[in-house]
Amino acid sequence: MPIDLFGSRPPTDVPLLHPEEQTFEQMLLGHRRQQLSRNLSIGTIEGRERVVRRFMETTNLYPWQWTLEHVDEFFADRREVHGNKRPTIRKYQDALSMFTDYISSPAYPWVSRCMELFGTHPVRVLDQWNMARHIQEAEHGGRRRPFRHHELQQFFDRADDEVDIIARRERKGWAHAFRDSTLFKLTYCFGLRRNEVRHLETFDFTRNPYATEFGRFGHLNVRFGKAMRGSDYKQRNVLAVFPWGSDIIEEWIERGLPLFDGGTSLFSSERRSLVSESALNTRFRQYRDDLGFGKDLTFHSLRHSYITHLIEMGLDPLFVQQQVGHEYASTTALYTGVSSDFRVRTIRSALDGMMSDALKHGLDE
Protein backbone atom coordinates (compact mmCIF):
# COMPACT_ATOMS: atom_id res chain seq x y z
CA MET A 1 0.00 0.00 0.00
CA PRO A 2 1.57 3.33 -0.99
CA ILE A 3 2.41 5.89 1.63
CA ASP A 4 0.21 8.98 1.77
CA LEU A 5 2.32 11.80 0.39
CA PHE A 6 1.32 14.44 2.93
CA GLY A 7 1.98 12.81 6.23
CA SER A 8 -0.82 10.42 7.19
CA ARG A 9 0.53 7.00 8.07
CA PRO A 10 -0.71 3.78 6.52
CA PRO A 11 -2.58 1.40 8.81
CA THR A 12 -0.13 -0.33 11.13
CA ASP A 13 -1.62 -3.71 10.41
CA VAL A 14 -0.92 -3.40 6.65
CA PRO A 15 2.86 -3.63 6.19
CA LEU A 16 4.56 -2.25 3.10
CA LEU A 17 5.53 -5.06 0.78
CA HIS A 18 8.50 -3.19 -0.71
CA PRO A 19 9.11 -0.18 1.55
CA GLU A 20 12.33 1.02 -0.13
CA GLU A 21 10.97 0.96 -3.65
CA GLN A 22 7.58 2.38 -2.67
CA THR A 23 9.13 5.22 -0.65
CA PHE A 24 11.43 6.11 -3.52
CA GLU A 25 8.54 6.23 -6.01
CA GLN A 26 6.51 8.39 -3.62
CA MET A 27 9.45 10.77 -3.30
CA LEU A 28 9.61 11.12 -7.06
CA LEU A 29 5.86 11.68 -7.22
CA GLY A 30 6.02 14.35 -4.54
CA HIS A 31 8.92 16.12 -6.25
CA ARG A 32 7.01 16.02 -9.54
CA ARG A 33 3.98 17.66 -7.91
CA GLN A 34 6.16 20.31 -6.31
CA GLN A 35 7.64 21.22 -9.70
CA LEU A 36 4.23 21.23 -11.36
CA SER A 37 3.03 23.69 -8.71
CA ARG A 38 5.95 25.93 -9.73
CA ASN A 39 4.64 25.83 -13.33
CA LEU A 40 7.71 24.07 -14.71
CA SER A 41 7.41 22.35 -18.07
CA ILE A 42 6.64 18.63 -18.26
CA GLY A 43 9.76 18.01 -20.33
CA THR A 44 12.00 19.60 -17.70
CA ILE A 45 10.37 17.62 -14.89
CA GLU A 46 10.67 14.31 -16.71
CA GLY A 47 14.29 15.00 -17.64
CA ARG A 48 15.18 15.63 -14.00
CA GLU A 49 13.42 12.46 -12.92
CA ARG A 50 15.47 10.45 -15.40
CA VAL A 51 18.67 11.84 -13.91
CA VAL A 52 17.59 10.88 -10.38
CA ARG A 53 16.71 7.36 -11.52
CA ARG A 54 20.02 7.02 -13.32
CA PHE A 55 21.93 8.07 -10.22
CA MET A 56 19.97 5.59 -8.10
CA GLU A 57 20.58 2.75 -10.57
CA THR A 58 24.29 3.59 -10.83
CA THR A 59 24.86 3.67 -7.07
CA ASN A 60 22.36 0.86 -6.42
CA LEU A 61 21.35 2.80 -3.33
CA TYR A 62 18.21 4.68 -2.30
CA PRO A 63 18.25 8.46 -1.61
CA TRP A 64 18.44 8.11 2.18
CA GLN A 65 21.68 6.16 1.66
CA TRP A 66 23.40 8.64 -0.65
CA THR A 67 26.62 10.35 0.52
CA LEU A 68 29.06 12.91 -0.82
CA GLU A 69 31.38 10.10 -1.88
CA HIS A 70 28.65 8.63 -4.10
CA VAL A 71 28.16 11.99 -5.80
CA ASP A 72 31.89 12.47 -6.40
CA GLU A 73 32.26 8.95 -7.79
CA PHE A 74 29.24 9.32 -10.08
CA PHE A 75 30.37 12.59 -11.66
CA ALA A 76 33.98 11.48 -11.94
CA ASP A 77 32.67 8.54 -13.95
CA ARG A 78 30.45 10.81 -16.08
CA ARG A 79 33.49 12.89 -17.02
CA GLU A 80 36.25 10.29 -17.34
CA VAL A 81 34.32 7.36 -18.79
CA HIS A 82 31.31 8.91 -20.52
CA GLY A 83 33.05 12.13 -21.54
CA ASN A 84 30.20 14.41 -20.45
CA LYS A 85 30.86 18.11 -21.01
CA ARG A 86 30.34 20.91 -18.50
CA PRO A 87 26.73 21.75 -19.55
CA THR A 88 25.67 18.10 -19.12
CA ILE A 89 27.41 17.81 -15.77
CA ARG A 90 25.72 21.00 -14.58
CA LYS A 91 22.30 19.79 -15.73
CA TYR A 92 22.71 16.48 -13.89
CA GLN A 93 23.95 18.18 -10.75
CA ASP A 94 21.10 20.69 -10.75
CA ALA A 95 18.56 17.89 -11.07
CA LEU A 96 20.05 15.89 -8.19
CA SER A 97 20.51 18.95 -6.03
CA MET A 98 16.87 20.00 -6.36
CA PHE A 99 15.67 16.48 -5.60
CA THR A 100 17.82 16.06 -2.47
CA ASP A 101 16.87 19.56 -1.29
CA TYR A 102 13.22 18.53 -1.57
CA ILE A 103 13.47 15.22 0.30
CA SER A 104 15.70 16.79 3.00
CA SER A 105 13.43 19.77 3.61
CA PRO A 106 11.65 19.87 6.98
CA ALA A 107 8.59 21.17 5.12
CA TYR A 108 8.03 17.64 3.79
CA PRO A 109 7.68 14.35 5.72
CA TRP A 110 10.53 12.39 4.17
CA VAL A 111 13.13 12.81 6.94
CA SER A 112 10.83 11.52 9.67
CA ARG A 113 9.35 8.88 7.41
CA CYS A 114 12.75 7.45 6.51
CA MET A 115 13.87 7.49 10.16
CA GLU A 116 10.79 5.50 11.07
CA LEU A 117 11.15 2.98 8.26
CA PHE A 118 14.91 2.71 7.73
CA GLY A 119 16.60 4.22 10.77
CA THR A 120 18.32 6.89 8.65
CA HIS A 121 17.28 9.88 6.59
CA PRO A 122 18.19 11.73 3.36
CA VAL A 123 20.65 14.62 3.45
CA ARG A 124 21.76 17.25 0.97
CA VAL A 125 24.67 15.73 -0.90
CA LEU A 126 25.26 18.54 -3.41
CA ASP A 127 26.22 22.10 -2.70
CA GLN A 128 28.58 24.72 -4.09
CA TRP A 129 31.65 22.81 -2.96
CA ASN A 130 30.97 19.80 -5.23
CA MET A 131 28.99 21.34 -8.10
CA ALA A 132 30.29 22.82 -11.35
CA ARG A 133 29.99 26.57 -11.58
CA HIS A 134 27.90 28.14 -14.34
CA ILE A 135 30.41 30.22 -16.30
CA GLN A 136 29.18 30.97 -19.78
CA GLU A 137 32.58 31.42 -21.35
CA ALA A 138 33.49 27.91 -20.24
CA GLU A 139 30.20 26.46 -21.46
CA HIS A 140 31.26 26.78 -25.07
CA GLY A 141 34.98 26.46 -24.38
CA GLY A 142 35.82 29.92 -25.76
CA ARG A 143 35.37 28.57 -29.30
CA ARG A 144 32.45 30.79 -30.35
CA ARG A 145 32.80 34.33 -31.61
CA PRO A 146 30.85 36.93 -33.59
CA PHE A 147 31.31 37.55 -37.30
CA ARG A 148 33.49 40.46 -38.30
CA HIS A 149 31.67 42.87 -40.59
CA HIS A 150 33.37 41.73 -43.76
CA GLU A 151 32.88 38.07 -42.84
CA LEU A 152 29.18 38.61 -42.33
CA GLN A 153 28.87 40.27 -45.73
CA GLN A 154 30.76 37.39 -47.33
CA PHE A 155 28.51 34.88 -45.62
CA PHE A 156 25.32 36.58 -46.82
CA ASP A 157 26.78 36.90 -50.33
CA ARG A 158 27.56 33.18 -50.32
CA ALA A 159 23.95 32.40 -49.33
CA ASP A 160 22.63 34.62 -52.15
CA ASP A 161 25.05 33.04 -54.64
CA GLU A 162 23.67 29.60 -53.80
CA VAL A 163 20.17 30.77 -54.72
CA ASP A 164 21.39 32.17 -58.05
CA ILE A 165 23.49 29.08 -58.87
CA ILE A 166 20.59 26.69 -58.32
CA ALA A 167 18.24 28.92 -60.33
CA ARG A 168 20.63 29.15 -63.29
CA ARG A 169 21.19 25.42 -63.36
CA GLU A 170 17.45 24.80 -63.03
CA ARG A 171 18.02 22.41 -60.17
CA LYS A 172 15.69 21.53 -57.32
CA GLY A 173 16.24 23.31 -54.05
CA TRP A 174 16.04 26.93 -55.18
CA ALA A 175 13.18 27.71 -52.78
CA HIS A 176 14.96 26.06 -49.85
CA ALA A 177 18.17 27.99 -50.51
CA PHE A 178 16.13 31.21 -50.75
CA ARG A 179 14.37 30.38 -47.49
CA ASP A 180 17.61 29.69 -45.63
CA SER A 181 19.31 32.80 -47.01
CA THR A 182 16.41 34.92 -45.74
CA LEU A 183 16.36 33.11 -42.40
CA PHE A 184 20.08 33.70 -41.79
CA LYS A 185 19.69 37.42 -42.51
CA LEU A 186 16.67 37.81 -40.23
CA THR A 187 18.44 35.90 -37.46
CA TYR A 188 21.15 38.56 -37.51
CA CYS A 189 18.80 41.47 -38.27
CA PHE A 190 16.78 40.90 -35.07
CA GLY A 191 19.35 39.10 -32.91
CA LEU A 192 17.38 35.86 -32.72
CA ARG A 193 18.12 32.41 -31.44
CA ARG A 194 17.72 29.47 -33.80
CA ASN A 195 14.49 28.23 -32.21
CA GLU A 196 13.07 31.74 -32.15
CA VAL A 197 13.52 32.34 -35.86
CA ARG A 198 12.15 28.89 -36.73
CA HIS A 199 8.87 29.71 -34.99
CA LEU A 200 8.29 33.09 -36.62
CA GLU A 201 4.93 33.67 -38.27
CA THR A 202 3.78 36.43 -40.58
CA PHE A 203 1.58 38.05 -37.93
CA ASP A 204 4.54 38.47 -35.55
CA PHE A 205 5.59 41.63 -37.45
CA THR A 206 3.80 44.94 -36.92
CA ARG A 207 4.47 48.62 -37.52
CA ASN A 208 6.47 50.81 -35.20
CA PRO A 209 4.65 54.17 -35.19
CA TYR A 210 7.86 55.89 -34.08
CA ALA A 211 9.94 54.43 -36.94
CA THR A 212 7.76 54.49 -40.04
CA GLU A 213 10.73 53.95 -42.35
CA PHE A 214 10.55 50.23 -41.52
CA GLY A 215 7.01 49.95 -42.91
CA ARG A 216 5.03 47.05 -41.50
CA PHE A 217 8.15 45.33 -40.23
CA GLY A 218 9.28 47.81 -37.57
CA HIS A 219 8.38 45.66 -34.61
CA LEU A 220 8.75 41.91 -33.97
CA ASN A 221 6.99 39.92 -31.27
CA VAL A 222 9.23 36.96 -30.38
CA ARG A 223 6.88 34.34 -28.94
CA PHE A 224 9.31 31.47 -28.40
CA GLY A 225 12.10 33.10 -26.42
CA LYS A 226 14.36 30.96 -24.28
CA ALA A 227 12.58 29.63 -21.20
CA MET A 228 13.94 30.30 -17.72
CA ARG A 229 14.56 27.17 -15.63
CA GLY A 230 11.82 25.08 -17.19
CA SER A 231 9.14 27.78 -17.38
CA ASP A 232 7.09 28.54 -20.46
CA TYR A 233 8.63 30.29 -23.45
CA LYS A 234 9.51 33.90 -22.68
CA GLN A 235 8.11 36.49 -25.07
CA ARG A 236 9.83 39.76 -25.88
CA ASN A 237 9.47 42.69 -28.25
CA VAL A 238 12.28 43.54 -30.67
CA LEU A 239 12.45 46.82 -32.56
CA ALA A 240 13.87 46.87 -36.07
CA VAL A 241 17.30 48.52 -36.28
CA PHE A 242 18.54 47.77 -39.79
CA PRO A 243 16.36 49.31 -42.55
CA TRP A 244 17.45 46.70 -45.10
CA GLY A 245 15.66 44.04 -43.07
CA SER A 246 12.25 45.25 -44.24
CA ASP A 247 13.18 44.68 -47.88
CA ILE A 248 14.43 41.19 -47.08
CA ILE A 249 11.17 40.19 -45.38
CA GLU A 250 9.02 41.82 -48.07
CA GLU A 251 10.78 39.97 -50.86
CA TRP A 252 10.51 36.64 -49.06
CA ILE A 253 6.80 37.02 -48.37
CA GLU A 254 6.08 37.98 -51.99
CA ARG A 255 8.38 35.55 -53.83
CA GLY A 256 9.38 32.72 -51.53
CA LEU A 257 6.63 32.11 -49.00
CA PRO A 258 3.95 31.15 -51.60
CA LEU A 259 6.17 28.22 -52.60
CA PHE A 260 5.67 26.66 -49.16
CA ASP A 261 2.20 25.71 -47.97
CA GLY A 262 3.00 26.35 -44.35
CA GLY A 263 0.04 28.56 -43.49
CA THR A 264 1.18 31.57 -41.50
CA SER A 265 4.58 30.04 -40.69
CA LEU A 266 7.34 32.25 -42.07
CA PHE A 267 9.85 29.43 -42.53
CA SER A 268 8.47 25.94 -43.08
CA SER A 269 9.63 22.75 -44.77
CA GLU A 270 8.09 21.01 -47.76
CA ARG A 271 6.19 18.85 -45.24
CA ARG A 272 4.49 21.96 -43.81
CA SER A 273 6.39 21.58 -40.55
CA LEU A 274 8.94 23.96 -39.08
CA VAL A 275 12.28 23.99 -40.83
CA SER A 276 14.51 21.64 -38.85
CA GLU A 277 17.49 22.75 -36.80
CA SER A 278 19.66 20.07 -38.40
CA ALA A 279 18.89 21.39 -41.90
CA LEU A 280 19.82 24.92 -40.84
CA ASN A 281 23.02 23.74 -39.18
CA THR A 282 24.02 21.78 -42.27
CA ARG A 283 23.43 24.76 -44.57
CA PHE A 284 25.28 27.12 -42.23
CA ARG A 285 28.31 24.84 -42.01
CA GLN A 286 28.36 24.42 -45.78
CA TYR A 287 28.60 28.16 -46.41
CA ARG A 288 31.04 28.70 -43.55
CA ASP A 289 33.37 25.95 -44.76
CA ASP A 290 33.12 27.10 -48.40
CA LEU A 291 34.37 30.50 -47.28
CA GLY A 292 37.21 28.99 -45.26
CA PHE A 293 35.95 30.34 -41.93
CA GLY A 294 36.82 28.47 -38.76
CA LYS A 295 34.54 26.37 -36.59
CA ASP A 296 34.52 29.16 -34.01
CA LEU A 297 31.71 30.62 -36.14
CA THR A 298 28.44 28.83 -35.40
CA PHE A 299 24.79 29.56 -36.12
CA HIS A 300 24.62 31.32 -32.76
CA SER A 301 27.40 33.64 -33.93
CA LEU A 302 24.73 35.53 -35.90
CA ARG A 303 23.13 36.54 -32.60
CA HIS A 304 26.54 37.31 -31.11
CA SER A 305 27.26 39.52 -34.10
CA TYR A 306 24.01 41.44 -33.66
CA ILE A 307 24.85 42.26 -30.05
CA THR A 308 28.46 43.14 -30.83
CA HIS A 309 27.64 45.33 -33.82
CA LEU A 310 24.94 47.27 -31.97
CA ILE A 311 27.40 48.03 -29.18
CA GLU A 312 29.98 49.12 -31.76
CA MET A 313 27.34 51.39 -33.32
CA GLY A 314 27.08 53.18 -29.97
CA LEU A 315 23.61 52.01 -28.94
CA ASP A 316 22.78 52.04 -25.25
CA PRO A 317 23.77 48.69 -23.65
CA LEU A 318 20.43 48.57 -21.80
CA PHE A 319 18.58 48.86 -25.12
CA VAL A 320 20.69 46.02 -26.55
CA GLN A 321 20.03 43.91 -23.46
CA GLN A 322 16.28 44.39 -23.83
CA GLN A 323 16.39 43.68 -27.56
CA VAL A 324 17.93 40.24 -27.06
CA GLY A 325 15.96 39.36 -23.92
CA HIS A 326 18.80 38.99 -21.44
CA GLU A 327 17.77 39.22 -17.81
CA TYR A 328 21.16 40.51 -16.72
CA ALA A 329 23.53 43.01 -18.32
CA SER A 330 26.42 40.70 -17.50
CA THR A 331 25.00 38.10 -19.89
CA THR A 332 24.90 40.63 -22.71
CA ALA A 333 28.48 41.59 -21.90
CA LEU A 334 29.57 37.97 -22.27
CA TYR A 335 28.05 37.87 -25.76
CA THR A 336 29.85 41.00 -26.84
CA GLY A 337 33.08 40.58 -28.80
CA VAL A 338 33.92 44.02 -30.16
CA SER A 339 36.61 44.12 -32.84
CA SER A 340 40.13 45.35 -32.29
CA ASP A 341 39.41 48.25 -34.69
CA PHE A 342 36.54 49.36 -32.48
CA ARG A 343 38.72 49.23 -29.38
CA VAL A 344 41.41 51.24 -31.14
CA ARG A 345 38.87 53.87 -32.21
CA THR A 346 37.43 54.01 -28.68
CA ILE A 347 40.77 54.54 -26.97
CA ARG A 348 41.85 57.01 -29.67
CA SER A 349 38.66 59.03 -29.15
CA ALA A 350 39.13 58.98 -25.38
CA LEU A 351 42.77 60.07 -25.63
CA ASP A 352 41.93 62.81 -28.10
CA GLY A 353 39.23 64.07 -25.76
CA MET A 354 41.60 64.07 -22.80
CA MET A 355 44.24 65.91 -24.83
CA SER A 356 41.70 68.48 -26.00
CA ASP A 357 40.55 69.11 -22.42
CA ALA A 358 44.14 69.43 -21.22
CA LEU A 359 45.00 71.98 -23.93
CA LYS A 360 41.82 73.92 -23.24
CA HIS A 361 42.58 74.15 -19.51
CA GLY A 362 46.15 75.13 -20.30
CA LEU A 363 45.05 77.98 -22.52
CA ASP A 364 42.52 79.13 -19.93
CA GLU A 365 45.24 79.43 -17.35
Side-chain angles (χ1 to χ4, degrees):
M1 179 177 180
I3 300 174
D4 178 14
L5 179 63
F6 297 105
S8 61
R9 297 174 55 187
T12 56
D13 57 343
V14 182
L16 296 174
L17 296 178
H18 305 285
E20 293 89 354
E21 181 179 343
Q22 289 173 286
T23 300
F24 177 59
E25 293 297 330
Q26 287 292 328
M27 285 177 168
L28 289 173
L29 177 61
H31 192 220
R32 179 185 182 88
R33 289 173 175 169
Q34 183 210 50
Q35 293 177 91
L36 287 171
S37 71
R38 293 166 53 202
N39 201 34
L40 301 186
S41 70
I42 298 297
T44 296
I45 295 171
E46 292 177 346
R48 290 172 177 171
E49 181 176 326
R50 286 193 293 271
V51 172
V52 173
R53 290 187 182 278
R54 180 174 298 176
F55 185 81
M56 194 276 287
E57 293 168 358
T58 301
T59 60
N60 199 30
L61 296 169
Y62 288 101
W64 50 91
Q65 300 170 309
W66 294 348
T67 66
L68 294 172
E69 288 78 8
H70 296 137
V71 172
D72 294 344
E73 182 179 353
F74 176 81
F75 286 108
D77 181 74
R78 298 309 304 181
R79 291 195 61 192
E80 294 177 348
V81 178
H82 297 275
N84 291 157
K85 302 298 183 182
R86 177 183 289 267
T88 301
I89 294 295
R90 265 202 325 105
K91 182 176 70 174
Y92 281 20
Q93 290 179 345
D94 287 344
L96 281 174
S97 176
M98 282 182 266
F99 177 72
T100 57
D101 285 352
Y102 163 73
I103 60 177
S104 303
S105 171
Y108 295 95
W110 303 116
V111 171
S112 59
R113 188 69 52 80
C114 289
M115 285 297 299
E116 179 181 348
L117 291 174
F118 313 116
T120 185
H121 61 84
V123 296
R124 293 182 175 88
V125 291
L126 288 106
D127 209 328
Q128 59 182 355
W129 60 78
N130 64 347
M131 293 180 67
R133 293 180 60 195
H134 183 187
I135 306 176
Q136 282 194 295
E137 299 99 322
E139 297 284 311
H140 57 74
R143 296 185 296 272
R144 184 186 299 154
R145 67 172 178 86
F147 282 87
R148 300 181 182 90
H149 288 275
H150 71 277
E151 291 174 333
L152 188 66
Q153 186 62 59
Q154 288 178 314
F155 183 84
F156 289 156
D157 289 344
R158 174 64 185 87
D160 291 339
D161 288 343
E162 185 73 9
V163 180
D164 294 337
I165 291 171
I166 295 176
R168 287 199 306 269
R169 295 178 180 176
E170 298 182 351
R171 290 164 42 200
K172 292 178 61 178
W174 173 84
H176 295 84
F178 186 17
R179 175 200 64 194
D180 295 348
S181 174
T182 305
L183 185 147
F184 291 147
K185 294 172 185 174
L186 288 190
T187 300
Y188 168 76
C189 191
F190 288 92
L192 302 176
R193 299 179 178 91
R194 181 170 42 214
N195 195 52
E196 294 171 349
V197 72
R198 289 174 60 240
H199 281 88
L200 289 183
E201 303 205 31
T202 54
F203 55 77
D204 290 329
F205 291 95
T206 54
R207 295 180 179 274
N208 179 357
Y210 301 100
T212 56
E213 62 269 30
F214 295 103
R216 59 192 177 114
F217 305 108
H219 170 271
L220 173 61
N221 178 34
V222 178
R223 293 175 295 108
F224 285 83
K226 186 177 180 181
M228 297 293 293
R229 287 194 175 275
S231 63
D232 291 336
Y233 289 110
K234 183 179 179 180
Q235 295 193 40
R236 73 176 185 277
N237 298 316
V238 183
L239 300 179
V241 176
F242 303 109
W244 53 264
S246 299
D247 297 333
I248 297 295
I249 307 170
E250 192 79 59
E251 182 182 16
W252 169 248
I253 292 177
E254 291 180 359
R255 298 183 56 208
L257 193 57
L259 302 175
F260 294 86
D261 188 13
T264 59
S265 178
L266 198 60
F267 301 111
S268 62
S269 69
E270 65 279 0
R271 298 183 181 87
R272 303 181 183 179
S273 60
L274 295 179
V275 57
S276 70
E277 293 190 12
S278 61
L280 294 176
N281 288 339
T282 299
R283 180 87 72 176
F284 181 94
R285 288 193 293 265
Q286 174 193 343
Y287 296 163
R288 178 198 64 192
D289 296 345
D290 287 348
L291 293 167
F293 296 156
K295 294 183 179 180
D296 51 356
L297 288 175
T298 68
F299 190 104
H300 207 61
S301 293
L302 295 169
R303 176 173 163 88
H304 279 219
S305 305
Y306 174 83
I307 297 172
T308 298
H309 296 169
L310 291 192
I311 294 296
E312 289 183 344
M313 289 165 57
L315 274 69
D316 190 305
L318 178 59
F319 171 79
V320 178
Q321 175 187 341
Q322 293 171 342
Q323 286 281 96
V324 295
H326 286 158
E327 187 172 359
Y328 302 106
S330 58
T331 306
T332 307
L334 290 174
Y335 273 67
T336 304
V338 295
S339 66
S340 58
D341 289 342
F342 174 78
R343 292 195 293 269
V344 170
R345 292 196 305 270
T346 300
I347 188 62
R348 184 68 266 164
S349 176
L351 291 174
D352 289 345
M354 293 168 59
M355 184 64 69
S356 176
D357 289 342
L359 291 173
K360 181 179 179 180
H361 291 309
L363 291 175
D364 292 341
E365 293 176 356

